[in-house]
Amino acid sequence: MGNDKLFLLRAVEIAGNGIQNGGGPFGAVVSKDGKIISEAYNRVVLTSDPTAHAEILAIRQAASFLKSHDLGDCTLYSSCEPCPMCLGAIYWAGIKKVVYSCDRTDAEGAGFSDKLIYEEIMLDPANRKITFLRMTDTGGKEVFRKWDELENKIPY
């Protein structure tokens, strides 16, 4: 059995542990060079934090462990296909491979639907269910101008 399957089985096990510990039914593992460097289960309800998804927590732990925001040499294993928020974090972290067990339809069947978010994200902000109001006379562009002046930018 290869590492992909072993590490995915571990993510699924962590999801089960999360349920037993009052968390949600999602688990994630991040590996680098064939070794697990972080693992987490969903703690949204436990911490009253809507961003405390297993994947986000595992990414944060891996970045802290590696002392880098760049996880391009890492693989993320998840008990379920990552939601849109976690997918964004995966891209921002530079992770190039994700291995998962269940998909979004399995999650929806268990009461975790991301369908609205997938639909909304494709819309122009003016057409979303949440009101988005852009105000351009607030100095936001000045912040970017200052950023551009920096000599040692952090590469994103």
Side-chain angles (χ1 to χ4, degrees):
M1 185 180 318
N3 280 349
D4 281 347
K5 186 148 188 188
L6 285 173
F7 293 168
L8 183 56
L9 288 169
R10 178 65 184 147
V12 171
E13 179 182 14
I14 291 165
N17 293 343
I19 294 170
Q20 293 174 354
N21 293 314
F26 302 95
V29 164
V30 176
S31 75
K32 181 177 178 174
D33 299 327
K35 296 180 179 155
I36 292 175
I37 61 170
S38 69
E39 53 185 44
Y41 58 82
N42 179 294
R43 295 175 184 264
V44 169
V45 175
L46 289 172
T47 61
S48 300
D49 178 355
T51 69
H53 290 202
E55 297 90 341
I56 298 287
L57 297 174
I59 288 169
R60 288 177 183 162
Q61 289 172 16
S64 178
F65 176 77
L66 295 174
K67 297 182 181 5
S68 176
H69 66 279
D70 182 359
L71 304 182
D73 293 335
C74 297
T75 300
L76 184 131
Y77 300 86
S78 180
S79 62
C80 189
E81 177 185 5
C83 75
M85 176 182 69
C86 294
L87 182 61
I90 289 163
Y91 275 97
W92 279 112
I95 294 170
K96 293 176 180 60
K97 182 178 178 183
V98 175
V99 180
Y100 62 95
S101 182
C102 296
D103 68 10
R104 66 181 83 168
T105 58
D106 297 314
E108 186 173 358
F112 298 93
S113 179
D114 296 321
K115 187 181 236 176
L116 174 66
I117 299 169
Y118 280 111
E119 292 169 355
E120 288 276 305
I121 207 161
M122 297 299 295
L123 298 175
D124 182 273
N127 297 324
R128 293 180 182 152
K129 294 185 185 306
I130 296 172
T131 301
F132 281 77
L133 176 62
R134 182 175 182 200
M135 301 178 85
T136 59
D137 61 347
T138 56
K141 287 188 179 184
E142 177 66 14
V143 175
F144 283 123
R145 188 191 63 70
K146 288 178 182 176
W147 174 257
D148 285 340
E149 291 174 357
L150 288 176
E151 291 180 29
N152 298 312
K153 292 182 188 179
I154 300 170
Y156 281 96

